[in-house]
Amino acid sequence: MLKKICILVCLVLFAVLTATACNDISATISAIIPESTEIIDIEETQTPSPTPTLTPEIDTTAGPVSSPEATVNTTGTAGTDDPGATPGQYGPDDKLVAITFDDGPYEGVTDRILDVVEQYAADDVHVTFFVIGLQVVKYPGLVSRAAKLGCEIGNHTYHHKNLTKLSKEEMLSEVEDVSEMIMELTDTEPTLVRPPYGARDENVYATVQYPLILWDIDTLDWSTHDADSTVEAALKCEDGDIILMHDVHSDTADAFERIVPQLLEKGFKLVTVSQMFEAKNIPLEPGNSYRHAR
Ligand code: NI
């Protein structure tokens, strides 16, 4: 009888032990499986997130120059090409003035200014345009036409931001993007930068490797929108002056139409900024700014 009880107890114990062992194994297996599936999940969710934050910056520098439009527009003026200035055409004794136009090009204004330049080709009338990249993208043909007429194209940065508030990298891209656009459109490397708002500091001088061209006659055309006062301001110029205007509003083109014959009448030669400084034997150097040539 005792033997029977012992065997029964042993059988029960065996059964209990086996059941516990099996539970342990299944527990360990279930512990492994969720972990492995979790890893797969993490890998899946990680893969489709690349680096989208970089693209906007790349976009702004990417397609600024649309050369097809440029070539279409340039061919229109092929017959009226002005070879521009011949080196040494002017001397230090010439009465010179450099009219400069900022913030363009704009259709309906820049083209009217160029019509006047063309009209006075016999008097070798030339001006300087400090263009912004945002506008060059819209009207590349106006930039090529200006260059073909012997006008100078200067760099007024891409977005017209205050350079003193930018990092070195931002500053360089603001300037270099526009220089590349001008190069592509005119086959000429720009040599002048006009900092937006005339704003500059030590960092700007150290970073922007171009001479900074300012002005000493501000016509305030952008603020008055009054051709009469723009004409009056411009006619106060003296030999070697740089005049500031903006090829943004039509009243500036109205004023320019009147300024040119009156300055010629007063014995001025209307030249580009580079022509004027060359004639006056004043070298234009990076790290410096210039208000006039004298
Ligand atoms: Ni400006």
Side-chain angles (χ1 to χ4, degrees), residues 102-103 132 156 160 194-197 246:
D102 285 14
D103 302 352
I132 53 177
H156 198 33
H160 203 275
R194 172 165 283 164
Y197 316 104
H246 298 79

Side-chain angles (χ1 to χ4, degrees), residues 11 21 30 34 37 57 81 84 86 116 127 142 146 160 192 217 239-240 246-247 257 274 289:
L11 275 172
S30 67
T37 44
E57 272 184 51
D81 278 7
T86 32
V116 177
V127 296
L142 291 174
H160 203 275
L192 313 174
I217 292 196
D239 182 23
H246 298 79
D247 50 336
E257 284 170 358
S274 289
S289 58

Side-chain angles (χ1 to χ4, degrees), residues 162-166 168 171-172 175 193-196 198-210 212 286-288:
N162 183 332
L163 294 181
T164 64
K165 301 206 187 305
L166 301 184
K168 188 183 171 182
M171 219 187 284
L172 284 172
V175 170
V193 163
R194 172 165 283 164
R200 67 228 179 265
D201 60 12
E202 280 175 21
N203 290 332
V204 177
Y205 281 120
T207 307
V208 177
Q209 290 305 302
Y210 292 87
L212 303 182
N288 285 325

